[in-house]
Amino acid sequence: PGVVNGTGYNFYDSAEQSGFPALSYAQFVRGQGRVQYVQWVFAVTKETSVDSVLDLLMSYGVGNVPPGVSISYTGFPLFQQDMIDSANSDLKMMDRVALPLAIFILGMVLKNVPLLIIPLLMVGTAVMMWCILMYPIAQYLLPVSQFVPSVMMSVTVALGVDYSLFLLTRCTTESVAQGKDNAIAIALEHSGHSILASGTTLTVCVLGLTMLPLQLLASIGVGAACAVMSSICVNLTLTPALLHTNLGKKLLDWGLSKCYSKGREYVQQNQICMKKTNNPDTCDECVDPDTCETRSETFADTDESNAVEEPQLTQTLPPKRTLWFRLGKKLIRSPTNHIILFGVVGLVIIPVGYFATQLQTSISYQLMLPTNSPSLSAFNDLGTYFGKGTLFPYQLIFDTRPATASSPSEHDEQLSINSEQSFEVMHKVLQNLTNNNEVVPLKSYHGICTFGGILIPYSAYNRAITCGPSNCTNGTTNVENIENMLDPVLYHLDQSYTTQPNRTTTYVNVILPIDPNSYQGTNWLASSRARISSLYNEYPTLFSGYTIAISGGSGIPYDASQAAFSSFPMMITATTLTVLILMGLFFKSVVAPLRTVFSIACTILYCFGMMVLVYQKGILNWTGLRCLSSTVAAPGQPGEIHFIPPLMAFSMIVGLGLDYDVFLI
């Protein structure tokens, strides 16, 4: 008591209010009397919490459900709990699937199974490091979203494998001719420089999310930056330290014995080949880089005049001639091939990138919840029987207080919400919002000025307030004859929806038949705000002294998404300038940064275009995979994309584009 308040048919059924049982039955009961919902309002105190209240309600429902009755729960707190459970499940999936798969791929590249111990240690150490860094941030500086650990784990695994791959492959390659100690130094000098450059730019890019006015995205940006910096520090310090130990050197020796024994033969055969053919491409084939076996029979030299001096092993084994290597070599052989390559890439990017201009974002919770979410299932059932706006009702607020009023008592005595002028204002607003609007009809609104799809005349309202809760009713409780029950209904709405006792403010409850968080729902919100603003210009005298606003529903998340995208251009500008400066400093070049910005812009256009084609247009719905299918709020509507992924994708694409650009350069 005092913490949880419930509203439903059973509550009104026990109340001594004439006419209300039948009306509440129509509002809270559907499916021929087999489905009803109860709305719970929490008044959380210092001694209680939302979680404790939810546990109490749900445990009571489990232990007191009669046979044949099922109870399900939905609401924003339960959405959050399901999101947290999904994030924890993602982390477990990362540990079981993603990390082993990444290590397996790394092992395929290195061809040295024992050496995989090092990247595993690097990932584990990086995770412990960013846990230490994030704890004080989460406790004292910034609330951390439930998505942050999943993002940080993904970044750590990706970069841990990435950076280990560059360091270890350079070490194993250089060890053949330079020796292990020199190879570690060379890898740290060259690959380490690339890792530091790419990691720094990636850190700056993900920190760009902190420029957006949303704590959710700011916490993701800070968390991802901590994960990147942890991976850099661990790989540039702990990896070379481990390789310099006896254990590290033994791990490097594994799989290199053949290459050590054949390295001298490779250099000698390469010199003989060059002397005979003067063709480096042909000579590189004299040693098989996969097996380190010298193909001496190809270039055996029996002429003593061609004998070469004992070579110094300053060369390394040739790279493996892959399909991509051969294709790339042919493409860059002549300027004509360059033009052809640009033409082919343009034909792929431009048509797909065009659809990036059609990107539309949504704030729907359905896009953030797993398909097996209990709260999502209950929300869909609630929407099926009672309308999807039931969980997120809007409040159309009419306020007669001056804009400078600091308390309800400071208002113009001539303006009261229960005046005839106020009713005229409310009727004008409702008529404007419902004219030519079949999606949200008048029956979706109810308050002291409208109920059951009709506009309440001021005379009927005034009579109900004068008569009281039940004195004027004729006792009829037929829900189909609403006019016979207006007096007690209006009296109850006046007591519940109007500020007492000064009557300066009231609101009209708006329950949309559509999801308020969908495209249609947010479009209704934006258009309704615009229509209300136009009424001030159309009726300046009548609306003077009134403040009309729309609260609740999807208002807060919609305004948050709009604020984020209004700051997006500033984020793009800052990120682009940062890219130009950092790339110019790292490579002491003007052309390299400009080329990088151009290539990243093409990548972003292509990715955003594919995002629209897949998740709005549904071009891959035929696969039947949810991860590649569009999600629609209503039949005939386009697919929806949550507003967070495009914002995060921009930072990730820029960061990873720079990352791999640095390695290639």
Side-chain angles (χ1 to χ4, degrees), residues 471-485:
N471 293 337
C472 296
T473 184
N474 59 11
T476 303
T477 59
N478 182 5
V479 73
E480 296 179 356
N481 191 359
I482 295 179
E483 294 182 357
N484 290 333
M485 297 178 291

Side-chain angles (χ1 to χ4, degrees), residues 300-336:
D301 195 351
T302 57
D303 187 357
E304 293 184 358
S305 63
N306 290 333
V308 297
E309 297 180 358
E310 183 72 9
Q312 298 297 319
L313 296 184
T314 58
Q315 301 184 51
T316 58
L317 293 177
K320 185 177 180 180
R321 302 308 189 196
T322 63
L323 172 64
W324 294 110
F325 178 87
R326 295 188 179 95
L327 180 61
K329 194 169 183 179
K330 290 182 179 179
L331 288 176
I332 65 175
R333 184 167 293 175
S334 68
T336 304

Side-chain angles (χ1 to χ4, degrees), residues 128-425:
M128 288 188 288
M129 185 173 179
W130 57 249
C131 284
I132 295 173
L133 291 174
M134 284 299 294
Y135 181 79
I137 294 175
Q139 289 292 318
Y140 306 108
L141 298 178
L142 182 69
V144 175
S145 167
Q146 60 265 29
F147 303 109
V148 173
S150 296
V151 174
M152 295 178 70
M153 192 64 186
S154 298
V155 170
T156 304
V157 172
L159 295 184
V161 173
D162 202 29
Y163 295 160
S164 294
L165 177 64
F166 287 109
L167 283 172
L168 296 177
T169 51
R170 189 63 183 258
C171 281
T172 54
T173 303
E174 297 290 345
S175 294
V176 175
Q178 301 294 339
K180 290 185 283 294
D181 289 335
N182 290 335
I184 296 170
I186 293 172
L188 195 58
E189 178 183 359
H190 297 285
S191 296
H193 174 267
S194 299
I195 289 172
L196 182 61
S198 65
T200 301
T201 53
L202 181 56
T203 300
V204 172
C205 289
V206 294
L207 282 176
L209 291 172
T210 60
M211 300 178 64
L212 303 177
L214 290 180
Q215 287 187 341
L216 169 66
L217 294 173
S219 65
I220 292 175
V222 172
C226 286
V228 176
M229 290 187 293
S230 299
S231 296
I232 294 174
C233 293
V234 169
N235 279 277
L236 294 185
T237 56
L238 189 57
T239 297
L242 285 174
L243 291 176
H244 273 296
T245 63
N246 291 331
L247 175 62
K249 292 178 180 179
K250 289 181 180 179
L251 293 176
L252 280 176
D253 284 339
W254 190 283
L256 289 178
S257 56
K258 289 184 179 180
C259 294
Y260 270 116
S261 62
K262 298 296 183 180
R264 187 178 304 275
E265 297 177 31
Y266 158 68
V267 176
Q268 186 173 9
Q269 292 296 323
N270 184 274
Q271 291 180 359
I272 295 172
C273 174
M274 285 292 293
K275 191 172 182 179
K276 295 174 74 69
T277 66
N278 197 29
N279 187 343
D281 293 337
T282 304
C283 295
D284 282 343
E285 300 296 333
C286 68
V287 173
D288 187 346
D290 287 334
T291 63
C292 302
E293 292 180 356
T294 306
R295 300 173 186 169
S296 56
E297 71 279 3
T298 305
F299 294 103
D301 195 351
T302 57
D303 187 357
E304 293 184 358
S305 63
N306 290 333
V308 297
E309 297 180 358
E310 183 72 9
Q312 298 297 319
L313 296 184
T314 58
Q315 301 184 51
T316 58
L317 293 177
K320 185 177 180 180
R321 302 308 189 196
T322 63
L323 172 64
W324 294 110
F325 178 87
R326 295 188 179 95
L327 180 61
K329 194 169 183 179
K330 290 182 179 179
L331 288 176
I332 65 175
R333 184 167 293 175
S334 68
T336 304
N337 291 347
H338 296 174
I339 298 174
I340 296 174
L341 179 61
F342 274 107
V344 172
V345 173
L347 288 175
V348 174
I349 292 178
I350 293 175
V352 176
Y354 165 76
F355 288 95
T357 60
Q358 302 180 20
L359 176 66
Q360 292 180 313
T361 58
S362 170
I363 56 174
S364 176
Y365 290 103
Q366 186 175 0
L367 301 172
M368 302 177 67
L369 292 167
T371 53
N372 59 350
S373 167
S375 60
L376 178 60
S377 177
F379 172 70
N380 290 332
D381 291 340
L382 182 69
T384 300
Y385 289 103
F386 301 96
K388 291 190 174 182
T390 304
L391 186 60
F392 303 103
Y394 283 101
Q395 292 80 45
L396 182 58
I397 301 173
F398 297 88
D399 192 353
T400 62
R401 294 174 299 164
T404 57
S406 58
S407 65
S409 61
E410 298 181 24
H411 68 282
D412 190 345
E413 293 295 338
Q414 300 300 316
L415 291 178
S416 178
I417 208 66
N418 62 344
S419 65
E420 191 167 358
Q421 179 184 350
S422 296
F423 264 68
E424 185 178 358
V425 169

Side-chain angles (χ1 to χ4, degrees), residues 21-57:
L23 285 173
S24 63
Y25 185 92
Q27 179 180 356
F28 294 103
V29 180
R30 293 287 192 278
Q32 299 178 346
R34 300 180 64 86
V35 180
Q36 75 159 316
Y37 81 91
V38 176
Q39 181 180 0
W40 297 96
V41 179
F42 302 152
V44 179
T45 63
K46 293 182 179 180
E47 292 77 19
T48 61
S49 65
V50 174
D51 291 339
S52 62
V53 173
L54 288 175
D55 290 341
L56 178 64
L57 286 174

